[in-house]
Amino acid sequence: MVLAVTDARSHYVPGQDRKQSLRAELLGLRRSMPRAQLEIVSGALTRELAEHPLWLGARGIAAFVGVRGEVDTRPLLERCLGAGKSVWLPRLTGPGRMRFWPCVDLDRLERGAMGLLEPPIHGPGELAPGPERGVDLILVPGLGFGRDGARLGFGAGHYDRALATRHGDPSLTMPTLCGVCPVAFVDPPGGPIPMLGHDLAMDYLATDAGVERCVARPGA
Ligand SMILES: Nc1nc2c(c(=O)[nH]1)N(C=O)[C@@H](CNc1ccc(C(=O)N[C@@H](CCC(=O)O)C(=O)O)cc1)CN2
Ligand SMILES: Nc1ncnc2c1ncn2[C@@H]1O[C@H](COP(=O)(O)OP(=O)(O)OP(=O)(O)O)[C@@H](O)[C@H]1O
């Protein structure tokens, strides 16, 4: 006899439940962090990353402008532009979709959906800029990260979807992916952040405690 399973969990994806509850937990933690503490964290993270070979060796970066409880990345972006390196920033282009555009002046950012600060559009932009455009490093935002490279975002798949286009093309080299968040959001309690099939692993994490290389968990 064949039983048709038609309940609400017929689209159940293992790991999604844990991601969803962790998302709520970390968003609460992010919102409760006092502004003064976030400033201290942002300052320490900027110092750590700005001295690291990963940063110093990058000809250009793709990054994000920290808003609402995120690490303030502006000092890093200013430094990058000041050193003559290119800075590419994401801009939402549709549901679950974004592209990157080069930005030469942080005073010209535009206020987008969800309070995001986005670059003005000049030309076609890039879905996933990489070394052939001088972008050697991508700073990736996240609610939390694992030292194994796992990332928890907002659940819209913006980064995974955009970067998958490059990951799936053997003729294109992947830039180094570096997750950015306060150290308090790394390896949250309750077990590893689930990594699903589409989740791209970070190569490094940059926090107020330093820059560290991610190490895949045995058997993961
Ligand atoms: N600064 C920044 N830029 C970014 C991202 C990001 O995480 N941070 N993104 C990463 O993919 C993309 C935008 N995706 C986003 C998707 C959802 C939410 C969001 O829901 N933010 C709210 C939570 C919901 C609410 O408004 O209450 C928040 O910040 O509190 C933000 C950005 C591209 N640019
Ligand atoms: N390469 C991809 N192609 C199509 N859909 C994708 C791809 N990557 C992710 N998605 C979809 O995006 C949604 C969100 O994925 P996930 O739960 O991993 O979010 P997240 O990585 O935590 O958040 P975000 O990337 O928005 O910051 C899922 O429904 C997933 O199926």
Side-chain angles (χ1 to χ4, degrees), residues 150-192:
R151 164 178 179 265
L152 187 74
F154 280 115
H158 285 121
Y159 273 83
D160 289 323
R161 208 176 270 114
L163 299 184
T165 56
R166 168 170 290 273
H167 196 60
D169 185 340
S171 70
L172 295 174
T173 310
M174 225 25 206
T176 302
L177 302 182
C178 179
V180 173
C181 77
V183 72
F185 293 73
V186 173
D187 282 342

Side-chain angles (χ1 to χ4, degrees), residues 121-147:
I121 293 178
H122 292 295
E126 283 274 339
L127 202 46
E132 75 285 352
R133 305 300 301 262
V135 173
D136 297 317
L137 175 67
I138 303 190
L139 299 186
V140 183
L143 279 168
F145 293 91
R147 291 198 164 86

